[in-house]
Amino acid sequence: MTTEHAPSSALARRFADRVADLGLTEGQAAARAGMSTAYLHRVLELGPAFDPPALLRLAAVLGLEYEELVVGRPAERAARPAGPVPAGPPVLGELGVADCWRRLGAHGLGRIARTGPDGPVVRPVGYLVHDHTVLYRTGPDGPLAPGAGGDAAFEVDRADQDLNEGWSVLMIGPLEYVTEPALLAELPQPAGHGRWVRLTPATVTGRSIRAGGPRH
């Protein structure tokens, strides 16, 4: 496995050790968890505060408990307080296209990712759903504006407070400015938020994740 550009953190070392044990490359592990290698490095570097569902997916791909991946195996951390038996590795499931759109709802917060001149760019956005497209506002010269750089990725994920279950939806497609006068007249237009951009997904995929059963 090539790790020369991977972040040097305890989390990254646990990840590297596990993929080596499984005979995987980091690219294979990233693909199975539904992310690019560049995004994997960012997740490993910034840890669970950045993208908890991404780490849940990685734990499931690696056959680990979430806590084993993020905090370490029992020998690496203080003894647990008395309580329930820890759950087994998280269980991944696939979401259908209709379920993906249902989970997005009419609006919310998500992330847009695309490749800029200086490498990958990932930014949070407030979004609206309109006729199976995703709308968001951005400045005309910003990294999320339509232009060179190919398709963009839009991701929304949710995890419960205790990380017992969650889901993520990923949509990939081209960007364009919204220009239809009738639609623009219906959209909020507060000052200082730039122009409305539309992502029309060419692919829509989603995954659910829940805690596994107790280990014996």
Side-chain angles (χ1 to χ4, degrees):
M1 181 184 69
T2 300
T3 59
E4 53 186 330
H5 298 299
S8 56
S9 66
L11 173 59
R13 289 193 296 273
R14 282 191 289 273
F15 168 80
D17 289 344
R18 184 60 175 172
V19 294
D21 290 343
L22 297 174
L24 297 173
T25 66
E26 65 177 17
Q28 289 171 331
R32 294 180 186 182
M35 66 186 78
S36 69
T37 303
Y39 194 76
L40 167 68
H41 289 172
R42 189 165 180 80
V43 168
L44 293 177
E45 179 181 3
L46 298 179
F50 173 64
D51 192 344
L55 284 170
L56 278 167
R57 298 197 303 271
L58 276 179
V61 166
L62 300 177
L64 298 174
E65 294 180 31
Y66 176 84
E67 191 176 42
E68 284 181 332
L69 176 60
V70 174
V71 185
R73 293 183 181 276
E76 299 178 51
R77 59 183 187 264
R80 296 174 182 267
V85 177
V91 178
L92 285 173
E94 298 291 334
L95 299 178
V97 172
D99 199 11
C100 289
W101 285 109
R102 181 183 64 79
R103 290 172 188 258
L104 258 60
H107 58 84
L109 294 175
R111 287 187 294 272
I112 292 284
R114 66 183 314 196
T115 301
D118 299 319
V121 177
V122 182
R123 298 284 173 84
V125 295
Y127 70 87
L128 299 176
V129 172
H130 176 77
D131 286 345
H132 286 82
T133 67
V134 175
L135 310 181
Y136 65 93
R137 285 184 295 257
T138 191
D141 299 320
L144 303 187
D151 289 351
F154 171 70
E155 183 183 28
V156 176
D157 48 48
R158 299 288 184 267
D160 72 7
Q161 187 174 4
D162 298 320
L163 298 173
N164 290 325
E165 61 182 11
W167 55 267
S168 66
V169 169
L170 178 66
M171 300 181 174
I172 299 174
L175 301 176
E176 62 179 348
Y177 285 116
V178 176
T179 59
E180 300 91 325
L183 176 56
L184 287 171
E186 296 177 7
L187 296 172
Q189 297 293 333
H193 283 77
R195 297 181 61 181
W196 282 99
V197 175
R198 173 168 44 221
L199 182 146
T200 303
T203 62
V204 177
T205 57
R207 297 192 181 200
S208 62
I209 190 164
R210 60 179 175 80
R215 287 190 169 183
H216 300 288

